[in-house]
Amino acid sequence: MRKEIVLPPIDLNDDILTPEEAGKLFRVSGWAMYKRAKKDMVPSHKIGKRVYFLKSELISYTLNS
């Protein structure tokens, strides 16, 4: 029996950011954002070997932490 994967809804109008672009929001390097994503310190998404961030998730994360 196959297990169904349920993904959270994603706003298609949301900005998808690379680590470098996300780093500009936090005033850190792209490499620092990559390391934070790897340690689950910030919300991120991985597609293959690449890491991406949703701008709305990063803003929500900073407001709630």
Side-chain angles (χ1 to χ4, degrees):
M1 179 180 260
R2 291 179 68 131
K3 188 175 181 180
E4 183 177 334
I5 299 173
V6 179
L7 299 173
I10 295 176
D11 182 6
L12 296 178
N13 294 324
D14 196 2
D15 290 333
I16 299 172
L17 307 175
T18 64
E20 292 77 21
E21 294 168 331
K24 289 181 183 177
L25 290 176
F26 290 99
R27 295 185 180 157
V28 297
S29 69
W31 181 245
M33 287 303 295
Y34 176 78
K35 289 194 295 188
R36 290 176 184 181
K38 191 172 183 178
K39 294 179 182 180
D40 289 327
M41 295 173 68
V42 293
S44 63
H45 302 274
K46 195 169 184 183
I47 301 173
K49 293 184 178 184
R50 296 177 186 254
V51 176
Y52 296 98
F53 303 88
L54 293 177
K55 187 173 183 179
S56 63
E57 288 180 352
L58 292 175
I59 292 170
S60 176
Y61 170 79
T62 44
L63 294 176
N64 294 326
S65 60

